[in-house]
Amino acid sequence: MRASRSPSRWPALGGTVTALASWEWIFWLNVPIGLMVLPLLFRKVPETHGARAPLDLPGLILVTCAALGLIWALVRAAGVGWTATEVVGGLAVGALLLIVFLGWERHTPHPMVPVAFFQSRGFATGNIAALLHSAVILDVVFWMAQFLQTGLGYNPIEAGLRLLPWTGTMPLIAPLAGALADRYGNRIVRVSGLLLQAAGMLWLALIAAPGTGYTQIVGPLILSGIGASAVFPAVQNTVLSAVRNNALGQAAGVHSKVREFGGMLGIAILGAAFANAGGYANPDVFTNGFTAALTVATVSPSAHSSPSPARAATPDHDTHPQPTQQPPLRKNQPPEGVATIIKRRPQGHFRHRVCVRDAGRMPASAFRSQRHLRRPPR
């Protein structure tokens, strides 16, 4: 949860940098931060090593070229149109290479992305939620900042500060959402967060106008921020709890790339909605495009939050892929995730408690306990 604290301050900091210098200086902010964090990483974070496997070079080339084709097409679609040759060709080539990549990963002995991951419903639905959530939230931040400046007339610093009721919910809600996900399940927190996010955006789309006062949009900003902040930990827990501990690195890498691709997808889709309905000619025209983009952004999370009734009672982690071979257990060695505690009771009996907790399939607060008493050996 510590990593989620910093994004809440970026809009205000970005507005300050843009007003005092220029927007290009934003890219230099990570340089001093990285230099300060590196010594702490070497000192405080222990080094870990996964299973040694050869580099999947064909898979790396295939997925890189597929991503290049898809992202190129999505970025260029807003400028040249969805029917342009480079857009259609980029989408076709990218999709074809992605299919070839999945086929290669299915048969290679050392896959970069084990296809077995996607056989887990938790892993698949979690990444779909991450894709849609990133497509919406990462791009609505941009359009909201533009609306505050172009539609309501605030300068960059004022616009960044007025976004804090939205982005400032992250350090408050994300830890609470993580605890609720452990207790009640990731799915209910994830769906509730997506619905709150969609409700806040729809509320904002209905009241957005050039003369709208800031006090009128604080409510939908807070509501949408609460929903977005709840989705982050629930989605991450859903994805990472669907794989074993020795595959967390691969699962986290896939999840990160899905979120980045979702951001690019949102730029293309919301940008097209804005361009079809509005522009930058005047505040009224801009507000029309902004409302259209928010309406499209409302549809994506609400669509994912309405699963089919047939699967409503099925947990997210109903399958448990095993991408790599587990080492055999030694004699008298308990399986991974099983802790055995033996305590002596005053009456001379032993209390033997076995707490079964499989970190790969169960939340932190969900475990089963079995107790029985037995005579100590003579």
Side-chain angles (χ1 to χ4, degrees):
M1 302 303 174
R2 295 177 184 175
S4 64
R5 297 175 183 264
S6 57
S8 62
R9 300 172 175 85
W10 289 140
L13 183 59
T16 303
V17 172
T18 302
L20 299 181
S22 63
W23 65 268
E24 292 88 351
W25 280 92
I26 295 177
F27 297 103
W28 290 98
L29 291 179
N30 288 332
V31 176
I33 296 176
L35 294 177
M36 289 186 295
V37 169
L38 276 177
L40 297 177
L41 289 177
F42 286 116
R43 177 174 298 182
K44 299 295 184 180
V45 179
E47 182 64 41
T48 57
H49 300 278
R52 293 186 177 273
L55 176 64
D56 183 14
L57 187 58
L60 177 61
I61 295 174
L62 285 172
V63 73
T64 301
C65 294
L68 176 62
L70 293 174
I71 293 176
W72 176 274
L74 292 176
V75 172
R76 294 288 295 163
V80 301
W82 288 92
T83 58
T85 303
E86 61 177 301
V87 175
V88 176
L91 291 175
V93 172
L96 178 61
L97 290 177
L98 186 60
I99 294 174
V100 175
F101 167 74
L102 293 177
W104 169 261
E105 296 298 289
R106 184 181 295 273
H107 296 94
T108 184
H110 301 286
M112 183 174 65
V113 180
V115 182
F117 282 174
F118 297 94
Q119 296 175 0
S120 168
R121 182 168 175 248
F123 187 86
T125 57
N127 278 298
I128 292 174
L131 177 74
L132 297 177
H133 182 251
S134 298
V136 171
I137 200 67
L138 297 181
D139 297 295
V140 170
V141 171
F142 167 78
W143 292 112
M144 191 63 209
Q146 292 292 305
F147 172 69
L148 290 173
Q149 296 175 76
T150 305
L152 303 185
Y154 295 109
N155 61 42
I157 297 179
E158 294 171 339
L161 292 175
R162 281 164 175 77
L163 284 176
L164 285 177
W166 183 21
T167 59
T169 58
M170 181 69 69
L172 301 176
I173 301 301
L176 177 61
L180 292 175
D182 282 349
R183 183 170 184 178
Y184 299 106
N186 294 315
R187 183 175 176 273
I188 187 172
V189 176
R190 183 181 72 237
V191 172
S192 301
L194 289 172
L195 287 176
L196 289 176
Q197 175 183 321
M201 291 183 180
L202 180 60
W203 183 4
L204 188 59
L206 293 175
I207 65 174
T212 304
Y214 177 70
T215 56
Q216 296 177 264
I217 66 176
V218 170
L221 285 179
I222 295 177
L223 182 63
S224 180
I226 292 174
S229 302
V231 173
F232 276 114
V235 166
Q236 188 173 5
N237 289 344
T238 301
V239 172
L240 297 184
S241 64
V243 301
R244 294 192 180 276
N245 291 340
N246 60 352
L248 289 177
Q250 291 173 302
V254 174
H255 181 60
S256 176
K257 295 307 175 186
V258 166
R259 290 180 56 188
E260 293 178 5
F261 184 77
M264 300 302 302
L265 184 64
I267 290 175
I269 295 177
L270 299 187
F274 174 84
N276 290 333
Y280 285 90
N282 54 63
D284 291 321
V285 175
F286 178 87
T287 303
N288 293 334
F290 173 73
T291 302
L294 275 188
T295 303
V296 174
T298 303
V299 175
S300 296
S302 58
H304 177 75
S305 61
S306 302
S308 59
R311 291 192 174 187
T314 305
D316 282 337
H317 29 266
D318 53 357
T319 58
H320 202 31
Q322 302 182 23
T324 56
Q325 185 68 28
Q326 294 291 331
L329 296 177
R330 299 188 301 271
K331 185 177 181 180
N332 298 328
Q333 177 187 358
E336 179 183 1
V338 177
T340 303
I341 305 173
I342 301 178
K343 295 182 179 179
R344 186 177 181 90
R345 298 190 58 161
Q347 296 85 350
H349 293 75
F350 280 86
R351 182 175 63 181
H352 187 197
R353 170 188 257 181
V354 181
C355 300
V356 181
R357 175 192 168 197
D358 188 343
R361 300 187 63 180
M362 304 175 65
S365 59
F367 63 91
R368 298 188 297 274
S369 298
Q370 297 177 352
R371 303 177 184 177
H372 64 272
L373 299 179
R374 61 180 176 86
R375 291 282 183 179
R378 294 184 179 178

